[in-house]
Amino acid sequence: MRTPIIAGNWKMNKNPKETQEFLDGIKGKLAESGVEAIIGAPAIDLSTLVAGAEGSPLKTAAENSYFEDEGAFTGETSPKALSEMGLDYVIIGHSERRQYFKETDEDINKKAHAILKNNMLPIICCGETLEQREAGKAEEWVTGQIENAVKGISAADLVKSVIAYEPIWAIGTGKTATADQAQEMAHVIREKIASLYDQDTADKVRILYGGSVKPANVKELMAKEDIDGGLVGGASMDPESFLALVNYQN
Ligand code: 13P
């Protein structure tokens, strides 16, 4: 009953021309997979992305936004403006933003509220470091991140939102968490949502796995009960690879 998602996160890659080339590469090839296909692109590429996605099943995501709609915040991106441009989703709390740009759980919670208020949906990222995993602290850390991120969000809003579990040690390293490790944490996250809300809400929210997802391992990950999709960096940048991910069932 949960529609699967394949969401690309291009990170700080591609310019508008390369974005258009990607869109040309997937044009007319997305229909009928039963999978919700999303591309998250840098702010500078979003006009091209939204224009190219129009009239196609492709959904669009920004990789970040600020939590205020407008004002004296030099260099930030307004969630209101993103919504007016036609963006569907905003990725928030990615480990790279937490690590390099010092985003806190509180920032991420404010961003989630701002995104929902502006009629877009957050893709809320969480994940532990290798150190935390080895110390047996991964579950406590990740469920804490989720609890803080969803504070004050209604069940009605949460069921439309997306959670992405991305163990930091698996991002861009080629080291995928095993499908069992990914499933285990996705299940823990769903149980946390059930305890914070209720079982019905937990059963509806979509939980993605991210970290070295590629066409060769996507099927095994997607077969797991609590994994509803992938948040994909490297393997989402090439049209053929992205299409292979979206069509993982074939
Ligand atoms: P890779 O798929 O390149 O490991 O990146 C994962 C990621 O961080 C997606 O948000």
Side-chain angles (χ1 to χ4, degrees), residues 7 23 29 35 53 71 73 93 102 124 129 133 173 177 197 217 231:
L23 291 164
K29 297 182 183 164
V35 172
F73 305 105
K102 308 293 171 235
I124 303 166
T129 62
R133 176 160 283 263
T173 57
Y197 293 82
N217 62 22
L231 183 58

Side-chain angles (χ1 to χ4, degrees), residues 110-121:
K110 285 184 188 168
K111 289 179 182 200
H113 281 278
I115 290 157
L116 287 160
K117 186 190 84 179
N118 281 294
N119 300 312
M120 299 179 291
L121 298 172

Side-chain angles (χ1 to χ4, degrees), residues 193-228:
I193 298 295
S195 80
L196 293 170
Y197 293 82
D198 52 59
Q199 194 59 49
D200 184 55
T201 304
D203 287 341
K204 285 180 177 152
V205 69
R206 288 177 293 176
I207 302 176
L208 315 184
Y209 165 77
S212 300
V213 176
K214 40 189 180 283
N217 62 22
V218 65
K219 203 167 176 175
E220 192 191 353
L221 288 160
M222 295 300 280
K224 294 294 179 188
E225 194 181 336
D226 287 292
I227 300 175
D228 305 312

Side-chain angles (χ1 to χ4, degrees), residues 24 27 30 43 64 77-78 84 111 129 132-133 150 171 179-180 185-186 190 200 202 226 232 238-239 242:
D24 294 342
K27 202 180 167 108
L30 272 183
N64 183 31
T77 305
S78 154
E84 288 164 350
K111 289 179 182 200
T129 62
Q132 287 166 327
R133 176 160 283 263
V150 302
I171 296 178
D180 285 336
M185 191 63 88
R190 207 176 293 286
D200 184 55
D226 287 292
V232 189
D238 170 72
F242 183 67

